[in-house]
Amino acid sequence: VLFLSGSVTAQDPVTVSRRSAVVEAVERVQPSVVSVHVVHREPVLYRYRTPFDELFRGAPFGRRYYRGQEDRVSDGSGFVVGDGVVLTNAHLLGSRRIRKAEVSLPDGRVLEVRSANVDVALDLAVLEVEGRDLPVAPLGESDDILVGEWAIAIGNPFDLGPTVSIGVISAIDRDFQEPQGNYYYRDMIQTDAAINPGN
């Protein structure tokens, strides 16, 4: 960072040129991007530990297991689409019993999730949260996208705080010929913007 002496006005050419369309888009959308934290209760196997473990190592009767349950936390991103309504990915909620779910806003507020509606085929979940006067993300039309224009990914992929990456729209209406896991993907928007798991 270079610091120059003297006053710098708002009309300074360098300052004006830094305020690009990308900067303005991030400033507009980032307040509505939230972190989603889901606590699952899932079954686990515990091994009994006895003084004879080393003595009978490898023997079929040397190890005994018992069933238990343990909490596991899943973290991801979402964004506010309406007052008290957050959109995120369905896989973040998972198929196991949810003990608690909450969203964290960039302004520091933490809101409890009251209910969730899930569409597994589209991998989308709509969360109803206990909060009002939330910053809502302005939505556009995917039909208006042009190949070659900027694509900005905003999220919180590793629960470290808001993250921004940028790329271009590489293609639209892209189909995957082979299944990806359990799904076939159709009419996809392709971009080279870096998108990490949880973003």
Side-chain angles (χ1 to χ4, degrees):
V1 178
L2 177 63
F3 294 96
L4 300 177
S5 61
S7 61
V8 178
T9 67
Q11 301 304 317
D12 179 58
V14 174
T15 303
V16 171
S17 69
R18 291 175 61 207
R19 298 202 57 77
S20 64
V22 173
V23 171
E24 291 180 5
V26 171
E27 287 177 346
R28 221 172 128 200
V29 175
Q30 197 166 38
S32 64
V33 177
V34 301
S35 300
V36 182
H37 310 282
V38 181
V39 180
H40 302 272
R41 192 74 168 163
E42 60 182 20
V44 293
L45 284 177
Y46 295 104
R47 183 167 66 91
Y48 284 112
R49 297 195 179 275
T50 70
F52 301 104
D53 280 352
E54 290 301 315
L55 183 62
F56 294 109
R57 185 189 303 185
F61 54 83
R63 292 185 174 181
R64 296 289 183 258
Y65 296 89
Y66 65 96
R67 295 181 187 277
Q69 293 193 335
E70 200 170 87
D71 286 347
R72 181 178 60 84
V73 179
S74 299
D75 297 312
S77 302
F79 58 96
V80 180
V81 293
D83 209 18
V85 181
V86 172
L87 185 68
T88 188
N89 291 114
H91 70 258
L92 179 59
L93 301 180
S95 58
R96 299 224 158 57
R97 187 165 57 120
I98 296 175
R99 295 193 58 177
K100 180 181 178 183
E102 59 186 21
V103 300
S104 302
L105 277 74
D107 64 12
R109 284 184 284 175
V110 178
L111 309 174
E112 187 175 342
V113 175
R114 293 191 298 202
S115 65
N117 293 303
V118 176
D119 187 324
V120 177
L122 294 177
D123 192 23
L124 292 176
V126 177
L127 310 177
E128 183 183 348
V129 298
E130 293 182 347
R132 294 295 174 256
D133 301 321
L134 303 179
V136 177
L139 301 180
E141 293 288 337
S142 58
D143 291 340
D144 294 338
I145 292 175
L146 301 174
V147 174
E149 69 180 344
W150 291 116
I152 308 167
I154 306 174
N156 190 353
F158 302 115
D159 202 26
L160 300 174
T163 303
V164 177
S165 59
I166 188 170
V168 296
I169 300 296
S170 307
I172 56 176
D173 301 324
R174 180 76 78 199
D175 292 340
F176 285 81
Q177 299 306 318
E178 297 297 323
Q180 308 293 310
N182 296 325
Y183 298 99
Y184 283 90
Y185 289 92
R186 300 287 185 257
D187 300 323
M188 303 298 292
I189 300 167
Q190 181 181 341
T191 178
D192 61 351
I195 302 176
N196 292 302
N199 201 349

